Coordinates of all heavy atoms in Angstrom, one line a residue:
Y17 N -10.3 6.8 3.1 CA -10.8 7.9 3.9 C -9.8 8.2 5.0 O -9.2 7.3 5.6 CB -12.1 7.5 4.6 CG -12.6 8.5 5.5 CD1 -13.4 9.6 5.0 CD2 -12.4 8.5 6.9 CE1 -13.8 10.6 5.9 CE2 -12.8 9.4 7.7 CZ -13.6 10.5 7.2 OH -14.0 11.5 8.1
A18 N -9.5 9.5 5.1 CA -8.6 10.0 6.2 C -9.2 11.2 6.8 O -9.5 12.1 6.1 CB -7.2 10.3 5.6
G19 N -9.3 11.3 8.1 CA -9.9 12.4 8.8 C -9.0 13.5 9.0 O -9.0 14.2 10.0
I20 N -8.1 13.8 8.0 CA -7.2 14.9 8.1 C -7.1 15.6 6.8 O -7.4 15.1 5.7 CB -5.7 14.4 8.5 CG1 -5.2 13.4 7.5 CG2 -5.7 13.9 9.9 CD1 -3.8 13.0 7.8
E21 N -6.7 16.9 6.8 CA -6.5 17.7 5.6 C -5.2 17.4 5.0 O -4.1 17.6 5.6 CB -6.6 19.2 6.0 CG -7.9 19.6 6.5 CD -8.9 19.8 5.4 OE1 -8.5 20.1 4.2 OE2 -10.1 19.8 5.7
L22 N -5.2 16.9 3.7 CA -4.0 16.7 2.9 C -4.2 17.4 1.6 O -5.3 17.5 1.1 CB -3.8 15.2 2.7 CG -3.6 14.3 4.0 CD1 -3.6 12.9 3.6 CD2 -2.3 14.7 4.6
A23 N -3.1 17.9 1.1 CA -3.1 18.6 -0.2 C -2.7 17.7 -1.3 O -1.8 16.8 -1.1 CB -2.3 19.9 -0.1
V24 N -3.2 18.0 -2.5 CA -2.7 17.3 -3.7 C -1.2 17.6 -3.9 O -0.8 18.7 -3.6 CB -3.5 17.7 -5.0 CG1 -2.9 17.2 -6.3 CG2 -5.0 17.3 -4.9
N25 N -0.5 16.6 -4.2 CA 1.0 16.6 -4.4 C 1.7 16.5 -3.1 O 3.0 16.5 -3.1 CB 1.5 17.8 -5.2 CG 1.0 17.7 -6.6 OD1 1.0 16.7 -7.2 ND2 0.7 18.9 -7.2
E26 N 1.0 16.3 -2.0 CA 1.7 16.2 -0.7 C 2.2 14.7 -0.5 O 1.5 13.8 -1.0 CB 0.7 16.5 0.5 CG 1.3 16.5 1.8 CD 0.4 17.0 2.9 OE1 -0.6 17.7 2.6 OE2 0.6 16.8 4.1
H27 N 3.4 14.6 0.0 CA 3.9 13.2 0.2 C 3.5 12.7 1.6 O 3.5 13.4 2.6 CB 5.5 13.3 0.2 CG 6.0 13.6 -1.2 ND1 6.6 12.6 -1.9 CD2 5.9 14.7 -2.0 CE1 6.9 13.1 -3.1 NE2 6.5 14.3 -3.2
V28 N 3.1 11.4 1.6 CA 2.6 10.8 2.8 C 3.1 9.3 2.9 O 3.6 8.8 1.9 CB 1.0 10.8 2.9 CG1 0.5 12.2 3.0 CG2 0.4 10.0 1.7
R29 N 3.0 8.7 4.0 CA 3.2 7.3 4.1 C 1.9 6.6 4.4 O 1.1 7.0 5.2 CB 4.2 7.0 5.3 CG 5.6 7.2 4.9 CD 6.5 6.9 6.0 NE 6.9 8.2 6.6 CZ 7.2 8.4 7.9 NH1 7.3 7.3 8.7 NH2 7.5 9.5 8.3
V30 N 1.7 5.5 3.7 CA 0.5 4.6 3.9 C 0.9 3.3 4.4 O 1.8 2.6 3.8 CB -0.3 4.5 2.5 CG1 -1.4 3.5 2.7 CG2 -0.7 5.8 2.0
S31 N 0.3 2.9 5.5 CA 0.6 1.6 6.1 C -0.6 0.7 6.2 O -1.7 1.2 6.4 CB 1.2 1.8 7.6 OG 2.4 2.5 7.5
F32 N -0.4 -0.6 6.0 CA -1.5 -1.5 6.2 C -1.0 -2.9 6.5 O 0.2 -3.1 6.3 CB -2.5 -1.6 5.0 CG -1.8 -1.8 3.7 CD1 -1.6 -3.1 3.2 CD2 -1.3 -0.8 2.9 CE1 -1.0 -3.4 2.0 CE2 -0.7 -1.0 1.7 CZ -0.5 -2.3 1.2
T33 N -1.8 -3.7 7.1 CA -1.4 -5.1 7.4 C -1.9 -6.0 6.4 O -3.0 -6.0 5.9 CB -2.1 -5.4 8.8 OG1 -1.6 -4.5 9.8 CG2 -1.7 -6.8 9.2
L34 N -1.0 -6.9 6.0 CA -1.3 -7.9 4.9 C -2.2 -9.0 5.5 O -2.0 -9.4 6.6 CB 0.0 -8.5 4.4 CG 1.0 -7.5 3.7 CD1 2.3 -8.2 3.4 CD2 0.3 -6.9 2.5
P35 N -3.1 -9.5 4.7 CA -4.0 -10.5 5.2 C -3.3 -11.8 5.3 O -2.3 -12.1 4.6 CB -5.1 -10.6 4.1 CG -4.4 -10.1 2.9 CD -3.4 -9.0 3.3
H36 N -3.8 -12.6 6.2 CA -3.3 -14.0 6.5 C -1.9 -14.1 7.0 O -1.4 -15.2 7.1 CB -3.5 -14.9 5.2 CG -4.8 -14.9 4.6 ND1 -5.9 -15.5 5.2 CD2 -5.3 -14.3 3.5 CE1 -7.0 -15.3 4.5 NE2 -6.7 -14.6 3.5
C37 N -1.2 -13.0 7.3 CA 0.1 -13.1 7.8 C 0.4 -12.1 8.9 O 1.3 -12.3 9.7 CB 1.2 -13.0 6.7 SG 1.4 -11.3 6.2
G38 N -0.4 -11.0 9.0 CA -0.2 -10.0 10.0 C 1.0 -9.1 9.8 O 1.3 -8.3 10.7
E39 N 1.7 -9.2 8.7 CA 2.8 -8.4 8.5 C 2.4 -7.0 8.0 O 1.5 -6.8 7.2 CB 3.7 -9.0 7.4 CG 5.0 -8.2 7.2 CD 6.0 -9.0 6.3 OE1 5.8 -10.2 6.1 OE2 6.9 -8.3 5.7
S40 N 3.0 -6.0 8.6 CA 2.6 -4.6 8.3 C 3.6 -4.1 7.3 O 4.8 -4.4 7.3 CB 2.7 -3.7 9.6 OG 2.4 -2.4 9.2
V41 N 3.1 -3.3 6.3 CA 4.0 -2.7 5.3 C 3.7 -1.2 5.2 O 2.5 -0.8 5.4 CB 3.8 -3.4 3.9 CG1 4.3 -4.8 3.9 CG2 2.4 -3.3 3.4
T42 N 4.7 -0.4 4.9 CA 4.5 1.0 4.7 C 5.1 1.4 3.4 O 6.2 1.0 3.0 CB 5.2 1.7 5.9 OG1 4.7 1.3 7.1 CG2 5.0 3.3 5.7
F43 N 4.3 2.2 2.6 CA 4.7 2.7 1.4 C 4.8 4.3 1.4 O 3.9 4.9 2.0 CB 3.7 2.3 0.3 CG 3.8 0.9 -0.1 CD1 2.9 0.0 0.6 CD2 4.6 0.4 -1.0 CE1 2.9 -1.4 0.3 CE2 4.6 -1.0 -1.4 CZ 3.8 -1.9 -0.7
Q44 N 5.7 4.8 0.7 CA 5.7 6.3 0.4 C 4.7 6.5 -0.7 O 4.7 5.8 -1.7 CB 7.1 6.7 0.0 CG 8.2 6.6 1.0 CD 8.0 7.5 2.2 OE1 7.5 8.6 2.0 NE2 8.4 7.1 3.3
C45 N 3.9 7.6 -0.6 CA 2.9 7.9 -1.6 C 2.8 9.4 -1.8 O 3.3 10.2 -1.0 CB 1.5 7.4 -1.1 SG 1.4 5.6 -0.9
V46 N 2.2 9.7 -2.9 CA 1.9 11.1 -3.2 C 0.4 11.3 -3.4 O -0.2 10.5 -4.1 CB 2.7 11.6 -4.5 CG1 2.3 13.0 -4.8 CG2 4.2 11.4 -4.3
I47 N -0.2 12.3 -2.8 CA -1.6 12.5 -3.0 C -1.8 13.0 -4.4 O -1.2 14.0 -4.8 CB -2.2 13.6 -2.0 CG1 -1.9 13.1 -0.5 CG2 -3.7 13.8 -2.2 CD1 -2.6 11.9 -0.1
R48 N -2.7 12.3 -5.2 CA -2.9 12.7 -6.6 C -4.3 13.3 -6.8 O -4.6 14.0 -7.8 CB -2.6 11.6 -7.5 CG -1.2 11.2 -7.6 CD -0.3 12.3 -8.1 NE 1.0 11.9 -8.3 CZ 2.1 12.8 -8.3 NH1 1.9 14.0 -8.0 NH2 3.3 12.3 -8.4
D49 N -5.3 12.9 -5.9 CA -6.7 13.3 -6.1 C -7.3 13.4 -4.7 O -6.9 12.7 -3.8 CB -7.4 12.3 -7.0 CG -8.8 12.7 -7.3 OD1 -9.0 13.8 -7.7 OD2 -9.7 11.9 -7.1
R50 N -8.3 14.3 -4.6 CA -9.0 14.5 -3.4 C -10.4 14.9 -3.6 O -10.7 15.7 -4.4 CB -8.2 15.5 -2.5 CG -9.0 15.8 -1.3 CD -8.3 16.9 -0.5 NE -9.2 17.1 0.7 CZ -9.0 18.1 1.5 NH1 -8.0 19.0 1.3 NH2 -9.8 18.2 2.6
T51 N -11.3 14.2 -2.8 CA -12.7 14.6 -2.7 C -13.1 14.5 -1.3 O -13.2 13.4 -0.7 CB -13.6 13.7 -3.6 OG1 -13.2 13.7 -4.9 CG2 -15.1 14.1 -3.5
G52 N -13.2 15.7 -0.6 CA -13.5 15.7 0.8 C -12.3 15.1 1.5 O -11.1 15.5 1.4
Y53 N -12.6 14.1 2.3 CA -11.5 13.4 3.1 C -11.1 12.0 2.4 O -10.5 11.2 3.0 CB -11.9 13.1 4.5 CG -11.9 14.4 5.3 CD1 -13.1 15.0 5.7 CD2 -10.7 15.1 5.6 CE1 -13.1 16.1 6.5 CE2 -10.7 16.2 6.4 CZ -11.9 16.8 6.8 OH -11.9 17.9 7.5
T54 N -11.5 11.8 1.2 CA -11.2 10.6 0.4 C -10.1 11.0 -0.6 O -10.2 12.0 -1.3 CB -12.4 10.1 -0.4 OG1 -13.4 9.8 0.6 CG2 -12.0 8.8 -1.1
Y55 N -9.0 10.2 -0.6 CA -7.8 10.6 -1.3 C -7.4 9.5 -2.3 O -7.5 8.3 -2.0 CB -6.6 10.9 -0.4 CG -6.9 12.0 0.6 CD1 -7.4 11.7 1.8 CD2 -6.6 13.3 0.2 CE1 -7.6 12.8 2.7 CE2 -6.8 14.3 1.1 CZ -7.3 14.1 2.4 OH -7.6 15.1 3.2
G56 N -6.9 9.9 -3.4 CA -6.3 9.0 -4.4 C -4.8 9.2 -4.3 O -4.3 10.3 -4.2
V57 N -4.1 8.1 -4.1 CA -2.6 8.2 -3.9 C -1.9 7.4 -5.1 O -2.4 6.5 -5.6 CB -2.2 7.6 -2.6 CG1 -2.8 8.4 -1.4 CG2 -2.5 6.1 -2.4
E58 N -0.7 7.9 -5.3 CA 0.2 7.2 -6.2 C 1.4 6.6 -5.3 O 2.0 7.4 -4.6 CB 0.8 8.1 -7.2 CG 1.9 7.5 -8.1 CD 2.5 8.5 -9.1 OE1 2.0 9.7 -9.2 OE2 3.5 8.2 -9.7
F59 N 1.6 5.3 -5.5 CA 2.7 4.7 -4.7 C 4.0 5.0 -5.4 O 4.1 4.9 -6.6 CB 2.5 3.2 -4.6 CG 1.3 2.8 -3.8 CD1 0.0 2.7 -4.3 CD2 1.5 2.5 -2.4 CE1 -1.1 2.4 -3.5 CE2 0.4 2.1 -1.6 CZ -0.9 2.1 -2.2
V60 N 5.0 5.5 -4.6 CA 6.3 5.8 -5.1 C 7.2 4.6 -5.0 O 7.2 3.9 -4.0 CB 6.9 6.9 -4.2 CG1 8.3 7.2 -4.6 CG2 6.1 8.2 -4.2
R61 N 7.8 4.3 -6.2 CA 8.6 3.1 -6.3 C 10.0 3.4 -5.7 O 10.7 4.3 -6.2 CB 8.8 2.7 -7.7 CG 9.5 1.4 -7.8 CD 9.5 1.0 -9.3 NE 10.2 -0.3 -9.4 CZ 9.7 -1.4 -9.8 NH1 8.4 -1.4 -10.2 NH2 10.4 -2.5 -9.9
D62 N 10.4 2.7 -4.6 CA 11.7 2.8 -4.0 C 12.1 1.4 -3.6 O 11.4 0.5 -3.8 CB 11.7 3.8 -2.9 CG 10.8 3.5 -1.7 OD1 10.3 2.4 -1.7 OD2 10.6 4.4 -0.9
E63 N 13.3 1.3 -3.0 CA 13.8 0.0 -2.6 C 12.9 -0.7 -1.6 O 12.6 -1.9 -1.7 CB 15.2 0.2 -2.0 CG 15.9 -1.2 -1.7 CD 17.3 -1.0 -1.3 OE1 18.0 -0.1 -1.7 OE2 17.8 -1.9 -0.5
A64 N 12.4 0.1 -0.6 CA 11.5 -0.5 0.4 C 10.2 -1.0 -0.3 O 9.7 -2.1 0.0 CB 11.1 0.5 1.5
A65 N 9.7 -0.2 -1.3 CA 8.4 -0.6 -2.0 C 8.7 -2.0 -2.7 O 7.8 -2.8 -2.7 CB 8.0 0.5 -2.9
C66 N 9.8 -2.1 -3.4 CA 10.1 -3.3 -4.1 C 10.2 -4.5 -3.2 O 9.7 -5.6 -3.5 CB 11.5 -3.2 -4.9 SG 11.4 -2.0 -6.2
D67 N 10.8 -4.3 -2.0 CA 10.8 -5.4 -1.0 C 9.4 -5.8 -0.5 O 9.1 -7.0 -0.4 CB 11.6 -5.0 0.3 CG 13.1 -4.9 0.0 OD1 13.6 -5.4 -1.1 OD2 13.8 -4.2 0.8
H68 N 8.5 -4.8 -0.3 CA 7.1 -5.0 0.1 C 6.4 -5.8 -1.0 O 5.6 -6.7 -0.8 CB 6.4 -3.8 0.5 CG 6.9 -3.1 1.7 ND1 7.4 -3.8 2.8 CD2 7.1 -1.8 2.0 CE1 7.8 -3.0 3.8 NE2 7.6 -1.7 3.3
I69 N 6.6 -5.3 -2.3 CA 5.9 -6.0 -3.4 C 6.3 -7.4 -3.5 O 5.5 -8.3 -3.7 CB 6.2 -5.2 -4.7 CG1 5.5 -3.8 -4.6 CG2 5.7 -6.0 -5.9 CD1 5.9 -2.9 -5.7
T70 N 7.6 -7.7 -3.3 CA 8.0 -9.1 -3.3 C 7.4 -9.9 -2.2 O 6.9 -11.0 -2.4 CB 9.6 -9.2 -3.2 OG1 10.2 -8.4 -4.2 CG2 10.1 -10.6 -3.1
T71 N 7.3 -9.3 -1.0 CA 6.6 -10.0 0.1 C 5.2 -10.3 -0.2 O 4.7 -11.4 0.1 CB 6.8 -9.2 1.4 OG1 8.1 -9.0 1.7 CG2 6.0 -9.8 2.6
M72 N 4.5 -9.3 -0.7 CA 3.0 -9.4 -1.0 C 2.8 -10.5 -2.1 O 1.9 -11.3 -2.0 CB 2.4 -8.1 -1.4 CG 2.3 -7.1 -0.3 SD 1.4 -5.6 -0.7 CE 2.3 -4.9 -2.0
Q73 N 3.7 -10.6 -3.1 CA 3.6 -11.6 -4.1 C 3.8 -13.0 -3.5 O 3.1 -13.9 -3.9 CB 4.6 -11.3 -5.2 CG 4.4 -12.3 -6.4 CD 3.1 -12.1 -7.1 OE1 2.7 -11.0 -7.5 NE2 2.3 -13.2 -7.2
R74 N 4.7 -13.1 -2.6 CA 5.0 -14.4 -2.0 C 3.7 -14.8 -1.2 O 3.3 -16.0 -1.3 CB 6.2 -14.3 -1.1 CG 6.6 -15.6 -0.3 CD 7.8 -15.4 0.5 NE 7.9 -14.2 1.3 CZ 7.2 -14.0 2.5 NH1 6.4 -14.9 3.0 NH2 7.4 -12.8 3.1
I75 N 3.1 -13.9 -0.5 CA 1.9 -14.2 0.3 C 0.8 -14.6 -0.6 O 0.0 -15.6 -0.4 CB 1.6 -13.1 1.2 CG1 2.7 -12.9 2.3 CG2 0.2 -13.2 1.9 CD1 2.6 -11.6 3.1
L76 N 0.6 -13.8 -1.7 CA -0.5 -14.1 -2.6 C -0.3 -15.5 -3.3 O -1.3 -16.2 -3.5 CB -0.6 -13.0 -3.7 CG -1.1 -11.7 -3.2 CD1 -1.0 -10.6 -4.2 CD2 -2.6 -11.8 -2.7
D77 N 0.9 -15.8 -3.6 CA 1.2 -17.1 -4.2 C 0.8 -18.2 -3.2 O 0.3 -19.2 -3.6 CB 2.7 -17.2 -4.6 CG 3.0 -16.4 -5.8 OD1 2.1 -15.9 -6.5 OD2 4.2 -16.1 -6.0
A78 N 1.2 -18.0 -1.9 CA 0.9 -19.0 -0.9 C -0.6 -19.2 -0.7 O -1.1 -20.3 -0.6 CB 1.5 -18.7 0.4
I79 N -1.4 -18.1 -0.8 CA -2.8 -18.1 -0.6 C -3.4 -18.9 -1.8 O -4.3 -19.7 -1.7 CB -3.4 -16.7 -0.5 CG1 -3.0 -16.1 0.9 CG2 -4.9 -16.7 -0.6 CD1 -3.3 -14.6 1.0
E80 N -2.9 -18.6 -3.0 CA -3.4 -19.2 -4.2 C -3.1 -20.7 -4.1 O -4.0 -21.5 -4.5 CB -2.7 -18.7 -5.5 CG -3.2 -19.2 -6.8 CD -2.6 -18.5 -8.0 OE1 -1.8 -17.6 -7.8 OE2 -2.9 -19.0 -9.1
D81 N -2.0 -21.1 -3.7 CA -1.7 -22.5 -3.5 C -2.7 -23.2 -2.5 O -3.1 -24.3 -2.8 CB -0.2 -22.8 -3.0 CG 0.8 -22.4 -4.1 OD1 0.4 -22.4 -5.3 OD2 2.0 -22.3 -3.7
L82 N -3.0 -22.5 -1.4 CA -3.9 -23.1 -0.5 C -5.3 -23.2 -1.1 O -6.0 -24.2 -0.8 CB -4.0 -22.2 0.8 CG -2.8 -22.2 1.7 CD1 -2.9 -21.1 2.8 CD2 -2.6 -23.6 2.3
N83 N -5.7 -22.3 -1.9 CA -7.0 -22.3 -2.5 C -7.2 -23.5 -3.5 O -8.3 -23.9 -3.8 CB -7.4 -21.0 -3.2 CG -7.7 -19.9 -2.1 OD1 -8.1 -20.2 -1.0 ND2 -7.5 -18.7 -2.5
R84 N -6.1 -23.9 -4.1 CA -6.1 -25.0 -5.1 C -6.3 -26.3 -4.4 O -6.7 -27.3 -5.1 CB -4.8 -25.0 -5.9 CG -4.7 -23.9 -6.8 CD -3.4 -24.1 -7.7 NE -3.0 -22.8 -8.3 CZ -1.8 -22.5 -8.6 NH1 -0.8 -23.4 -8.5 NH2 -1.5 -21.3 -9.1
K85 N -6.0 -26.4 -3.1 CA -6.0 -27.8 -2.5 C -7.4 -28.1 -2.1 O -8.3 -27.4 -1.9 CB -5.1 -27.7 -1.2 CG -3.7 -27.6 -1.6 CD -2.8 -27.6 -0.4 CE -1.4 -27.5 -0.8 NZ -0.5 -27.5 0.3

């Protein structure tokens, strides 16, 4: 949900904080679907996205390891 008007095919940045580590990541995205103020986005693959994906995988692996103990 976003309280702003965005058009389909508009380029935006989406930021969020990863759980259990507090690290913030930002992805380039394209609006692909819209219903009211609810949007579907496609994440654009670029060098920064690849770095974020690697970081998220490392964090998820660490969480999985903790859950096994």
Side-chain angles (χ1 to χ4, degrees):
Y17 175 84
I20 58 174
E21 294 281 336
L22 299 170
V24 172
N25 294 322
E26 188 169 342
H27 289 252
V28 297
R29 280 183 259 154
V30 174
S31 297
F32 53 92
T33 301
L34 299 173
H36 306 288
C37 75
E39 185 172 339
S40 178
V41 294
T42 301
F43 290 92
Q44 296 290 330
C45 299
V46 179
I47 304 296
R48 293 297 186 207
D49 186 48
R50 175 183 177 187
T51 302
Y53 289 109
T54 302
Y55 299 93
V57 299
E58 175 184 351
F59 290 86
V60 176
R61 187 179 179 114
D62 60 12
E63 188 174 330
C66 291
D67 291 344
H68 292 324
I69 291 166
T70 300
T71 299
M72 289 189 301
Q73 186 62 56
R74 181 178 43 79
I75 291 166
L76 290 171
D77 289 346
I79 292 169
E80 186 176 352
D81 289 344
L82 289 172
N83 287 333
R84 286 189 203 152
K85 295 180 180 182

